[in-house]
Amino acid sequence: MRGPEPPGGARTAGTRRRGYVPPRLGSRALAALLVVVTLLVVVSDYLTDRGLGLVPLLIFLPAFVAGRGTARQTAAAAAWVVLVLVGLLVYDPFQTVSANLSTVAFTAALGALSIAGAWQRGRRDAEITRLRSAAAALQRQILRPLPLLTDRLLADGVYEPVEEDSRVGGDIYEVMPSPYGTRVLIADVQGKGLPAIGTAFAVLGAFREAAGRDPELTSVVEALEDAVVRHNAFEAQSGEPERFVTALVLNADGGRDVQVVDCGHIPPYLLRRDRTGPAVRTVPLRNSGVPLGLGSLAPKSRAVERFGLPPDAMLLLCTDGVTEARDSSGAFFPLEERLTGWAEASPREVAAGLLDQLVAHTGGSPADDIALLVLRRSAPPEPDREASSSSGSGGVGPPGAGSR
């Protein structure tokens, strides 16, 4: 059965749910605000027979406008209040000239301060906007927006960093075409914050270079290992602790099998519909290696494994921000159970639907970065490639792609 289609489509990299931002004042809204508030104050003042008892409250109106509007709008509000106050004082002045002049002067001074505050806030907002635009452009080079399409795979998914004002966290992904097939990376850097992002950038750079250069998947992983070790050595000079990175590195060529090297990461999930209905299973990986950065501690070299990815199936990759998400009672998010309703959906629907369910499970406050990729073949596998792989070395990888 197809899962319910979530509103708004899939959320991709950099589409975090943000807090509510008050809307800016439009010209018509400002004019209506000034007229309505002025009428309410003046009419209330004279109906209560207090004689300018409430009218001086109008001097605070420009300060309110300064918090939402532009400097020009604040100046218009200040000029309006001064004109209204002068008109009222001409109609019904105070007992002394000094009182009238001091009231007008104080109103004008507060209006000028409000204008200066609105101008300063406008400059600060413009600077923040420029900085965020530059950061967004840079971060789009770190994590490319989903979906991503190659001649072998379609990848869609969601990415939600836990940091409120960040577009990139410690979870990373990449999908790269190469002469040897489509290479896929999903990884989770230990820790959070800027140091974790630095490690993530080192891993991504190494993957993008090695994915198109090295024919063997183990060689790609060795390049990632070296990148993490070098980055840890560099960070140690500034007192930062060493970090490790869990990762899955996959390759989909023309055959029916997908090759994978597991570096201590969560195993993938295979979604397909069989004769008995929707089926979801964890792909069993026998050679779960150590995370990147800890390769020197491993008793044996990393090895390539194979598993089948039929054209009608989808492969789900995720980080522990999905599997270890908890609700208010401490219960983990039941990922495999939730996947059963999405076997016939598209990758976009699977990713967006799971994110909605995950956010609902955590009460809207996930405690960790969330990265989720859904892969589907974009072209049917080639039978001759499948035959050649099955006649090889017992399903342990292509020639030369095993442990080194």
Side-chain angles (χ1 to χ4, degrees), residues 51-70:
L52 291 179
L54 298 178
V55 168
L57 295 178
L58 288 174
I59 64 176
F60 298 105
L61 188 56
F64 174 79
V65 175
R68 298 286 183 87
T70 63

Side-chain angles (χ1 to χ4, degrees), residues 6-344:
R11 297 172 180 86
T12 56
T15 57
R16 181 170 178 77
R17 289 178 170 88
R18 301 295 178 186
Y20 174 74
V21 178
R24 294 291 180 87
L25 284 174
S27 299
R28 293 183 178 179
L30 175 63
L33 174 68
L34 296 177
V35 172
V36 171
V37 172
T38 301
L39 289 176
L40 286 176
V41 171
V42 172
V43 171
S44 299
D45 183 76
Y46 281 94
L47 287 180
T48 55
D49 196 25
R50 293 183 179 180
L52 291 179
L54 298 178
V55 168
L57 295 178
L58 288 174
I59 64 176
F60 298 105
L61 188 56
F64 174 79
V65 175
R68 298 286 183 87
T70 63
R72 181 176 296 181
Q73 290 175 326
T74 305
W80 167 267
V81 170
V82 170
L83 290 175
V84 169
L85 190 59
V86 169
L88 292 174
L89 289 175
V90 170
Y91 174 76
D92 188 8
F94 289 119
Q95 294 181 353
T96 63
V97 175
S98 60
N100 294 326
L101 293 177
S102 61
T103 300
V104 174
F106 182 78
T107 303
L110 187 57
L113 290 175
S114 300
I115 295 170
W119 179 77
Q120 183 65 27
R121 182 184 57 80
R123 288 191 59 187
R124 184 179 66 250
D125 290 349
E127 181 178 359
I128 292 174
T129 299
R130 288 194 299 270
L131 290 174
R132 286 182 173 177
S133 297
L138 176 61
Q139 290 166 345
R140 278 194 297 270
Q141 300 303 314
I142 299 176
L143 289 182
R144 295 186 294 158
L146 296 164
L148 298 170
L149 177 66
T150 71
D151 60 341
R152 299 299 179 190
L153 291 177
L154 166 66
D156 211 329
V158 293
Y159 185 84
E160 294 286 331
V162 71
E163 297 290 340
E164 181 67 21
D165 291 326
S166 177
R167 293 175 185 264
V168 177
D171 293 359
I172 52 176
Y173 64 84
E174 184 57 289
V175 179
M176 292 285 296
S178 79
Y180 319 104
T182 294
R183 267 76 192 271
V184 180
L185 166 72
I186 187 167
D188 186 357
V189 180
Q190 176 193 18
K192 299 181 180 67
L194 290 177
I197 294 175
T199 306
F201 188 74
V203 173
L204 272 175
F207 178 77
R208 287 168 176 166
E209 180 180 358
R213 179 193 63 202
D214 297 331
E216 299 179 1
L217 205 58
T218 48
S219 298
V220 176
V221 176
E222 288 173 3
L224 305 186
E225 173 74 24
D226 292 342
V228 174
V229 171
R230 288 195 303 268
H231 186 78
N232 280 337
F234 176 79
E235 290 293 299
Q237 299 176 7
S238 58
E240 289 289 335
E242 294 186 354
R243 299 178 184 274
F244 61 83
V245 183
T246 66
L248 281 178
V249 182
L250 297 90
N251 182 72
D253 54 19
R256 292 183 61 89
D257 286 347
V258 172
Q259 301 98 45
V260 60
V261 176
D262 181 12
C263 304
H265 199 75
I266 300 167
Y269 290 83
L270 190 67
L271 290 75
R272 67 177 303 186
R273 185 174 181 83
D274 57 20
R275 296 177 181 178
T276 61
V280 177
R281 68 178 179 89
T282 304
V283 177
L285 299 178
R286 299 181 302 275
N287 299 315
S288 179
V290 298
L292 299 172
L294 303 178
S296 61
L297 305 178
K300 58 181 181 179
S301 301
R302 305 185 192 273
V304 175
E305 296 189 63
R306 292 177 177 269
F307 61 90
L309 179 60
D312 60 344
M314 289 181 291
L315 192 67
L316 182 136
L317 315 177
C318 65
T319 58
D320 59 8
V322 178
T323 57
E324 296 182 5
R326 297 173 182 261
D327 62 11
S328 57
S329 65
F332 290 109
F333 180 67
L335 176 59
E336 188 167 345
E337 174 186 330
R338 300 294 177 87
L339 284 173
T340 57
W342 298 95
E344 293 184 349

